[in-house]
Amino acid sequence: MRSWLRETTGGLPSTFWYLWTGTLVNRLGSFVMIFMAIYLTSERHFTQTEAGLVIGLFGVGSAMGVTVGGVLADRWGRRPTLFTAHLGAATMLLVLGFADDRWTITLGALVLGFFMDGSRPAFQAMMVDVVPERDRLRAFSLNYWAINLGFAFAAVLAGLAAQADFLLLFLVDATTTLVTAAIIFVKVRETRRPQGFARRDTGTPAVGLHTVFADRVFVGFLLLNLLTAVVFLQHISMLPIAMGQDGLSPSTFGWVIALNGVLIVSGQLFVPRLIRGRDRSRTLAVASLITGLGFGLTAIADVPWLYAVTVLIWTMGEMLTSPSNATLIAELSPAATRGRYQGVFGLSWSAAAFLAPTLGGFVMQHAGDAALWLGAAGIAAAVSVGQIVSGPSRERRVAALATAAAPSATETAPPVGVPAPAAALGAAAADDAPPVADDLSKVS
């Protein structure tokens, strides 16, 4: 056990562990989005379609947030972007908690999405900056483990808080967000200098988001992830409404959905060893089929234990998908535009955060539960085929980027004891990253 623990957690930089701690604290209080659908339909008396639209507007704000956040992470810096986004999210949680009219709630959800997901690209880019390539799979798995440990506790606690007063959901969520901002401000140092300043010194042409969208291999992967996310995000938008229609309480939903976090916490640390060395495209294809099976079976669920079974099934698919996605995105992202690539990848989740509740609410209200869940299963099956077909081109792109990065690492790193040539010193001075992040970005 000690050997396994060292292999799983050893050797990671302190910055990673501060980010990991911030993730855990933030997720322990992530009450609001878990119960937003129940809050809107039961407390504010929104219809299913209206509730789906409000949650969808959160996704629109999220899309804007990850886009702006990705650019700011590269130009302004990871740390200030993270800190500002967390302060903004805490403020909007308090605004939403005390809002009672529909327009404020609707617009507040949009702005909350902007700040809440505006931090995601900077966070992911910072993790890639500080963690060597050989350790990224387990680093992302550890972070994902922290997310789900917090989620498991938050789901149960939020269900109990909702029984007492929905305002508690917003107050606790805002508090943990502020604590995370304090951890970032006090303990986390910048890992990459803003590129905007470097370009003014060197004359290097600006690289915009159009460069990311012109990458057809990456865009193909984004489309598959978008469809996967549309299926997966039904658990946070339409699943609580479906359970409510079956007469189940918010606290029951909290216990059932907490199984998702419990299973990931208990098994996710072993997943990297399970999938290590396996074909990633096949892993993602199998994961998609398992996810579709879990959501498809929700069509026949009507009691807590059966809902719990469906959650356990699609959670296994999620456990295989997440670490594979994280490492693949890191390897498909050129070092100089890592924040933008992370931002655009987050954009696919944000688009799904709009499409999942709006389409889900419409289908549920007009076609019924069975059509929604069986349709989700069909989408997941199509994604599985897409992963197999597009896998070889992705792996060729990963190999090409690794080959392109390798010469720069050897050319700019002279032998021990030999002074670096002037040209190399000039290149190092013009690079956007501080020494440690620079070395790691070239390894990637």
Side-chain angles (χ1 to χ4, degrees), residues 205-288:
V207 179
L209 289 174
H210 66 278
T211 305
V212 183
F213 286 108
D215 186 339
R216 287 184 293 180
V217 172
F218 187 75
V219 170
F221 181 67
L222 286 182
L223 292 177
L224 292 175
N225 186 73
L226 171 64
L227 294 175
T228 300
V230 167
V231 173
F232 177 71
L233 290 178
Q234 298 302 326
H235 84 282
I236 209 71
S237 55
M238 294 300 110
L239 181 60
I241 294 177
M243 292 183 66
Q245 290 176 338
D246 286 330
L248 304 177
S249 68
S251 60
T252 301
F253 169 72
W255 282 102
V256 168
I257 203 64
L259 293 174
N260 169 255
V262 170
L263 181 59
I264 292 175
V265 167
S266 60
Q268 188 65 38
L269 294 180
F270 301 95
V271 169
R273 181 173 294 184
L274 174 66
I275 66 177
R276 185 183 302 157
R278 298 185 183 275
D279 184 284
R280 281 185 292 200
S281 300
R282 293 182 180 180
T283 299
L284 289 170
V286 171
S288 185

Side-chain angles (χ1 to χ4, degrees), residues 66-357:
V66 294
T67 304
V68 174
V71 174
L72 290 178
D74 285 338
R75 293 179 61 87
W76 189 25
R78 321 310 199 199
R79 182 174 179 265
T81 302
L82 275 173
F83 184 67
T84 303
H86 279 83
L87 288 182
T91 301
M92 290 312 305
L93 284 166
L94 293 175
V95 170
L96 275 174
F98 290 100
D100 55 6
D101 66 279
R102 295 196 168 200
W103 279 108
T104 302
I105 294 172
T106 301
L107 294 177
L110 177 73
V111 180
L112 176 63
F114 177 85
F115 283 115
M116 191 170 284
D117 280 346
S119 64
R120 188 189 304 170
F123 182 90
Q124 297 288 348
M126 183 173 278
M127 283 188 61
V128 176
D129 287 343
V130 302
V131 178
E133 181 183 12
R134 65 181 181 275
D135 295 325
R136 285 177 190 160
L137 178 60
R138 64 191 179 98
F140 280 114
S141 296
L142 283 167
N143 189 66
Y144 192 60
W145 185 82
I147 289 173
N148 285 277
L149 177 63
F151 177 83
F153 281 99
V156 175
L157 295 175
L160 298 175
Q163 295 287 89
D165 189 348
F166 275 101
L167 179 59
L168 284 176
L169 302 180
F170 296 90
L171 295 178
V172 173
D173 207 337
T175 300
T176 55
T177 302
L178 287 174
V179 171
T180 303
I183 293 173
I184 294 167
F185 184 77
V186 174
K187 291 294 186 179
V188 176
R189 298 179 62 185
E190 182 57 71
T191 60
R192 187 172 179 84
R193 290 203 305 270
Q195 290 183 356
F197 301 128
R199 278 196 295 271
R200 285 197 291 272
D201 295 335
T202 64
T204 304
V207 179
L209 289 174
H210 66 278
T211 305
V212 183
F213 286 108
D215 186 339
R216 287 184 293 180
V217 172
F218 187 75
V219 170
F221 181 67
L222 286 182
L223 292 177
L224 292 175
N225 186 73
L226 171 64
L227 294 175
T228 300
V230 167
V231 173
F232 177 71
L233 290 178
Q234 298 302 326
H235 84 282
I236 209 71
S237 55
M238 294 300 110
L239 181 60
I241 294 177
M243 292 183 66
Q245 290 176 338
D246 286 330
L248 304 177
S249 68
S251 60
T252 301
F253 169 72
W255 282 102
V256 168
I257 203 64
L259 293 174
N260 169 255
V262 170
L263 181 59
I264 292 175
V265 167
S266 60
Q268 188 65 38
L269 294 180
F270 301 95
V271 169
R273 181 173 294 184
L274 174 66
I275 66 177
R276 185 183 302 157
R278 298 185 183 275
D279 184 284
R280 281 185 292 200
S281 300
R282 293 182 180 180
T283 299
L284 289 170
V286 171
S288 185
L289 288 176
I290 296 173
T291 301
L293 175 63
F295 280 102
L297 289 176
T298 309
I300 61 173
D302 56 358
V303 292
W305 72 266
L306 194 49
Y307 276 112
V309 170
T310 67
V311 169
L312 292 176
I313 293 173
W314 57 253
T315 295
M316 289 189 286
E318 180 190 358
M319 291 168 65
L320 293 174
T321 299
S322 181
S324 300
N325 267 359
T327 55
L328 189 54
I329 289 299
E331 294 177 21
L332 287 172
S333 306
T337 52
R338 185 168 290 144
R340 288 169 173 82
Y341 269 74
Q342 293 288 351
V344 173
F345 179 69
L347 186 63
S348 67
W349 279 95
S350 301
F354 172 75
L355 293 173

